[in-house]
């Protein structure tokens, strides 16, 4: 008998039929003697629908009101799933984030969990109930509803598993595990039996949205056994682990991630003097715009070019700030490009393998793909390329680093 926290994503609860199928699946665990706490997302497409409703009223809705709106999606699914469970004689009770209570800070639309009171959940579990909790939401100290950022139900599940000291946190989704790259882009992508926390955090933050980054960080920090599995077919999925098994240490690259959510900005011909980077980036960060990659060239004529990337949704604002900076610093011009993509290779094995970057660059150049920016860490190499080549780049790298199912 185990204590399991299971999270079912949007597609898995996308219709009432699917909700009933999930209820049947949960009942099997319960009949097997396991205690189960369930976390659900909104039905697929619902959060986007709510966002577009708010967008039709206001370009900049207040975070507080947006969270009241967005949290309704999950409230629908918890009630429906509890009804479906009760119908098949699997007694169940649903809770919103506030009712549990999942307390967060007050950063609306990207709140962080600070505390969870699990007394009620424990009482219900002891009474033999299946507890169904709304993902993605909490309440701040003033009882305002908050949400945890897109994909945040994963984090709700991991946080509950951590405080309940669950035996495993199982993320049920529409793919049967974590693959070497998005299986919807590369047919020959291979499911991994295991991936390390370190690699999963990199993959998630570089664009593989199969798990929310924060959920993986949380699981790593609190030692929560975390597994990604399919809602629709049986299998053992992918376990996120602390260490790689020995035989896997030979692999330099374990996955390819990509992200179309960024945009690139360049300021050309700025004076190459101390303090220039902060003069360019300070006004950007003052606008609460996060910067990802940064490249500054060496200037021969006491002038330099400075390039950085931001989230695509911040592109227009960042460009107008940079236009101002350009005037102030007497730079030649400010330019921008929102049709870029970031493609990354990830692997803890890179630490012990030389030449991985060279191979990556060669492979891309053989396909005629120009690299616009590069950034590296111990276990990843990212490049910025023209967005139109992203799928070609991902497929080519995936096969060049022998990640395909048939070559593994
Ligand atoms: P859910 O609604 O269940 O949370 P998501 O859409 O958030 O599901 O995450 C699952 C999706 O993640 C898959 O459908 C897949 O297209 C995508 N994905 C991206 N990269 C990967 C990867 N490396 N392995 C598996 N799935 C991936
Ligand atoms: N419903 C929210 C979203 O679409 C949270 C989640 O699904 O995890 O982002
Ligand atoms: Mg998700």
């Amino acid at each position: 008998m185990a204590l399991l926290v299971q999270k079912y994503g949007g597609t898995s609860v996308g219709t009432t039929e699917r909700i009933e199928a999930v209820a049947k699946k949960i009942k099997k665990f319960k009949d097997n003697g396991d205690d189960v706490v369930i976390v659900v997302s909104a039905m697929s497409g619902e959060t986007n629908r709510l966002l577009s409703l708010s967008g039709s009223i206001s370009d900049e809705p207040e975070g507080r009101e947006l969270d009241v709106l967005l949290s309704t999606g999950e409230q629908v699914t918890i009630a429906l799933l509890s009804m479906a469970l009760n119908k098949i004689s699997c007694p169940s009770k649903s809770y919103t984030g506030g009712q549990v209570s999942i307390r967060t800070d007050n950063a609306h639309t990207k709140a962080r969990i600070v505390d969870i009171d699990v007394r009620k959940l424990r009482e219900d579990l002891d009474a033999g109930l299946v507890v169904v909790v709304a993902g993605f939401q909490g309440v701040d100290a003033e009882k305002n509803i908050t949400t945890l950022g897109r994909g945040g139900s994963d984090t709700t599940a991991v946080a509950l598993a951590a405080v309940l000291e669950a035996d495993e946190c199982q993320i049920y989704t529409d793919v049967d595990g974590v693959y070497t790259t998005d299986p919807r882009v590369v047919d020959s992508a291979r499911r991994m039996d295991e991936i390390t926390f370190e690699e999963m955090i990199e993959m998630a933050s570089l664009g593989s949205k199969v798990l929310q980054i924060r959920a993986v960080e949380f699981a790593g920090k609190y030692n929560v056994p975390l597994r990604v599995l399919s809602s629709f077919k049986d299998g053992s999925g992918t376990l996120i682990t602390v260490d790689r098994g020995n035989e896997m240490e030979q692999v330099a690259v374990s996955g390819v991630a990509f992200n179309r959510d960024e945009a690139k900005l360049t300021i050309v011909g700025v004076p190459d003097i101390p303090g220039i980077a902060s003069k360019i980036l300070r006004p950007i960060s003052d606008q609460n715009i996060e910067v990802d990659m940064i490249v500054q060239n060496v200037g021969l004529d006491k002038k330099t070019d400075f390039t950085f990337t931001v989230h695509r949704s911040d592109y227009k604002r960042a460009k107008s700030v940079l236009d101002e900076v350009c005037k102030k610093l007497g730079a030649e011009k400010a330019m921008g490009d929102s049709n870029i993509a970031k493609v990354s290779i990830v692997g803890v094995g890179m630490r012990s393998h030389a030449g991985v970057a060279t191979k990556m660059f060669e492979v891309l150049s053989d396909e005629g793909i120009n690299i616009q920016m590069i950034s590296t860490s111990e276990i990843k190499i990212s490049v910025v390329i023209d967005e139109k080549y992203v799928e070609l780049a991902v497929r080519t790298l995936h096969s060049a680093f022998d990640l395909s199912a048939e070559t593994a």
Side-chain angles (χ1 to χ4, degrees), residues 89-290:
S89 306
C90 186
S92 159
K93 220 166 157 180
S94 69
Y95 290 98
T96 64
Q99 287 173 319
V100 169
S101 63
I102 298 175
R103 267 228 307 119
T104 71
D105 60 21
N106 61 3
H108 284 291
T109 72
K110 46 177 183 258
R112 282 180 180 267
I113 296 175
V114 291
D115 181 46
I116 302 183
D117 183 352
V118 284
R119 275 174 302 181
K120 248 189 216 156
L121 299 193
R122 285 222 192 270
E123 276 170 28
D124 286 346
L125 288 174
D126 290 345
L129 296 179
V130 171
V131 188
V132 182
V133 181
F136 178 56
Q137 55 178 262
V139 284
D140 71 8
E142 265 86 58
K143 299 251 164 76
N144 295 300
I145 297 175
T146 54
T147 62
L148 310 178
R150 296 307 303 265
S153 299
D154 296 342
T155 303
T156 307
V158 172
L160 280 170
V163 282
L164 289 165
E165 293 177 9
D167 294 290
E168 197 162 273
C169 180
Q170 303 177 331
I171 307 289
Y172 286 91
T173 183
D174 54 7
V175 282
D176 61 349
V178 179
Y179 278 68
T180 44
T181 192
D182 190 340
R184 295 190 202 287
V185 170
V186 179
D187 286 343
S188 61
R190 181 171 46 84
R191 183 183 61 78
M192 293 179 265
D193 289 329
E194 293 184 355
I195 181 171
T196 65
F197 279 105
E198 249 185 314
E199 287 168 318
M200 194 62 237
I201 287 172
E202 288 287 357
M203 290 283 280
S205 62
L206 296 168
S208 303
K209 290 173 189 150
V210 58
L211 285 174
Q212 200 201 32
I213 310 161
R214 234 181 246 177
V216 192
E217 286 169 350
F218 215 101
K221 191 165 160 197
Y222 294 99
N223 273 325
V224 178
L226 181 62
R227 194 184 287 277
V228 177
L229 313 105
S230 165
S231 295
F232 306 110
K233 65 177 204 194
D234 292 336
S236 54
T238 301
L239 183 68
I240 325 296
T241 58
V242 176
D243 289 317
R244 263 193 179 280
N246 271 344
E247 94 290 355
M248 291 169 101
E249 236 149 40
Q250 306 308 320
V251 191
V253 174
S254 34
V256 182
F258 59 93
N259 185 355
R260 294 183 172 95
D261 293 341
E262 291 191 27
K264 185 181 79 164
L265 294 130
T266 301
I267 179 161
V268 180
V270 278
D272 194 9
I273 50 170
I276 204 69
S278 65
K279 283 203 174 76
I280 296 168
L281 294 181
R282 166 62 61 198
I284 300 280
S285 61
D286 283 349
Q287 290 294 315
N288 248 328
I289 298 172
E290 273 176 45

Side-chain angles (χ1 to χ4, degrees), residues 334-366:
M335 307 185 302
D337 184 357
S338 59
N339 296 317
I340 57 148
K342 183 163 75 175
V343 177
S344 311
I345 54 175
V346 174
V348 285
M350 269 185 219
R351 287 195 179 111
S352 50
H353 284 72
V356 180
T358 314
K359 180 167 172 182
M360 179 184 197
F361 305 153
E362 270 169 8
V363 165
L364 293 174
S365 102
D366 287 349

